[in-house]
Amino acid sequence: FKNCKGKIRIDTIELLDFNTGKHLKSINILDKLFKIDEFDNSKLYIDCLDPTHVTNIEVVNSKTKASFFPQGKVGDLLVSLRSLNSIILLDKDTHDVKWYLFDQTKAQFSTLITEDGFILVLDNSSKSSINGTTRINSIYIKEKKVLKFFEASGEALFNVRYRGRMQFFDDSLIIADSLNGKLIQLKCDK
């Protein structure tokens, strides 16, 4: 961080006791990342004011979902780091990074782990100046690869630039476009 001149925002995850509200622990995300070669801060361009920009934390909530990650456990944390175009999985007990995806997303927001071994990622990697910059990547966890993606075509516009959030509801994927005050519904094939 030699170019930051002492001005850097450190993102943390704060663990609290659900029943009492007592603060249990702070997890410094940068400390965890810099143990991995790809995240060597001497090689990366770092935005000093917002080096990670956490946009989403998803708790792995089933044994099926956990099984797709190396040594995955229910309770692990999937964390989206927008500024680093990265997604990391933190161990629920040690809080060490046990899986990561680096530089295959662009300015992403929301993530969703599916029951069939994919992570859906709402990001800004579409290159369409007509249909919007937003797309949904379907990343196969075991191979760390984008296998499919959805972006708008024809007359449709898909441009969720900031604060996007996804959630499944019945046979649809609902996307909140907070900046523009609207919800987008995409019907899903089963």
Side-chain angles (χ1 to χ4, degrees):
F1 298 119
K2 57 186 167 203
N3 297 329
C4 292
K5 300 178 184 157
K7 298 176 184 176
I8 187 165
R9 185 176 92 189
I10 304 295
D11 279 340
T12 60
I13 297 173
E14 302 301 321
L15 301 181
L16 308 173
D17 182 283
F18 182 78
N19 294 314
T20 66
K22 179 183 173 191
H23 184 264
L24 302 174
K25 184 173 185 171
S26 294
I27 303 167
N28 181 318
I29 295 170
L30 288 175
D31 284 349
K32 299 297 181 180
L33 286 177
F34 291 155
K35 294 178 182 177
I36 300 169
D37 288 342
E38 284 90 344
F39 295 100
D40 179 345
N41 72 29
S42 66
K43 299 175 190 172
L44 287 177
Y45 166 76
I46 301 281
D47 175 352
C48 300
L49 297 178
D50 196 4
T52 56
H53 193 113
V54 174
T55 56
N56 194 66
I57 298 176
E58 182 178 356
V59 178
V60 177
N61 61 5
S62 75
K63 287 183 181 181
T64 300
K65 291 177 182 179
S67 71
F68 297 111
F69 296 98
Q71 293 86 42
K73 298 185 272 194
V74 172
D76 286 347
L77 302 175
L78 188 72
V79 183
S80 173
L81 307 173
R82 179 183 166 102
S83 293
L84 293 172
N85 298 319
S86 299
I87 300 168
I88 61 174
L89 184 74
L90 297 176
D91 184 275
K92 75 175 205 154
D93 299 311
T94 66
H95 308 115
D96 288 332
V97 177
K98 61 197 304 184
W99 180 92
Y100 60 92
L101 182 74
F102 178 66
D103 220 18
Q104 290 193 45
T105 58
K106 182 180 178 191
Q108 76 277 355
F109 312 108
S110 188
T111 60
L112 281 175
I113 306 168
T114 69
E115 292 287 335
D116 57 351
F118 289 86
I119 301 171
L120 299 182
V121 181
L122 182 66
D123 79 5
N124 283 300
S125 60
S126 176
K127 296 178 179 41
S128 174
S129 54
I130 296 170
N131 301 105
T133 61
T134 303
R135 89 178 188 180
I136 299 170
N137 289 313
S138 182
I139 297 168
Y140 186 49
I141 296 168
K142 297 227 184 244
E143 294 181 13
K144 296 184 179 183
K145 283 177 149 173
V146 176
L147 293 187
K148 298 183 266 184
F149 61 88
F150 166 83
E151 55 190 20
S153 61
E155 299 295 315
L157 177 67
F158 194 31
N159 202 40
V160 183
R161 296 293 310 254
Y162 303 100
R163 300 181 198 107
R165 183 93 176 119
M166 296 185 297
Q167 180 176 324
F168 283 115
F169 181 73
D170 291 334
D171 63 344
S172 297
L173 184 61
I174 307 296
I175 298 152
D177 180 355
S178 302
L179 189 64
N180 294 308
K182 63 182 175 180
L183 294 176
I184 300 164
Q185 180 180 13
L186 300 175
K187 291 285 188 181
C188 301
D189 295 332
K190 289 198 173 191

